[in-house]
Amino acid sequence: IDGRQSDRAMMVRRGTQILLHEMRHAVLPELPLASGRRADLITLSEKGEVWIIEIKTSIEDFRVDRKWPEYRLHCDRLFFATHQDVPLEIFPEECGLFLSDGYGAHMIREAPEHRMAPATRKSVTLNFSRAAAQRLMMAEWANGKPFTVDDV
């Protein structure tokens, strides 16, 4: 990924995270999955639904990536997120779609539900929880002070 593409990916990520936070989802970026793949964003809703959001910053970025169908095994809903310079019609109808400007995002299309098996749900949720706890601890160590309930 070149610097400009990386900047666009962070812009899309940030805006999408803002919207998901407003939707009361817990959001983790870059979570490794049991399949060996890594989710750009994975969320846990208040109802316990798991969403994966795959970020795409260009037509070429989407065209060369054929691993995205594998993410369905690890979530209840699968989305793409992009920015205004990418034509929305390239994204498959069977996935949800977010459009981000870095300051927020809009859900252009809801993703159909395909519920995970209970054992998979347990595994994904445990992975999510452990990664979140580990990252919080590392952030506390880097920050030099503990986070409290008031910080959430």
Side-chain angles (χ1 to χ4, degrees):
I1 278 184
D2 65 34
R4 187 170 164 196
Q5 190 173 353
S6 177
D7 289 347
R8 283 190 301 237
M10 282 303 298
M11 181 264 301
V12 171
R13 178 169 135 177
R14 185 174 45 251
T16 305
Q17 285 173 310
I18 290 167
L19 174 64
L20 291 163
H21 176 74
E22 289 169 356
M23 294 172 69
R24 303 184 56 83
H25 282 242
V27 184
L28 275 180
E30 304 294 333
L31 184 70
L33 303 170
S35 64
R37 301 287 185 207
R38 188 178 61 237
D40 290 337
L41 291 174
I42 188 166
T43 79
L44 187 59
S45 76
E46 287 185 306
K47 295 178 183 177
E49 262 195 355
V50 176
W51 294 5
I52 289 180
I53 298 93
E54 179 69 2
I55 295 170
K56 295 296 166 207
T57 58
S58 68
I59 295 172
E60 186 65 15
D61 184 18
F62 177 74
R63 211 175 267 151
V64 299
D65 176 12
R66 291 291 159 222
K67 68 186 182 297
W68 64 264
E70 297 175 31
Y71 293 128
R72 285 193 192 284
L73 302 174
H74 306 279
C75 64
D76 296 308
R77 296 181 192 267
L78 179 61
F79 293 83
F80 284 96
T82 194
H83 58 89
Q84 68 179 4
D85 296 334
V86 180
L88 301 182
E89 58 272 8
I90 69 170
F91 297 103
E93 291 286 329
E94 68 267 20
C95 297
L97 184 60
F98 291 103
L99 183 61
S100 171
D101 65 4
Y103 299 99
H106 295 284
M107 184 186 294
I108 302 298
R109 182 173 57 237
E110 178 70 66
E113 183 181 49
H114 46 84
R115 300 207 44 91
M116 290 182 284
T120 303
R121 178 174 309 286
K122 180 179 179 180
S123 173
V124 170
T125 304
L126 183 60
N127 183 26
F128 185 102
S129 302
R130 291 182 52 80
Q134 186 72 20
R135 291 178 190 184
L136 177 61
M137 182 181 69
M138 298 305 286
E140 281 187 342
W141 289 356
N143 193 32
K145 65 181 184 124
F147 291 100
T148 66
V149 173
D150 297 333
D151 296 323
V152 177

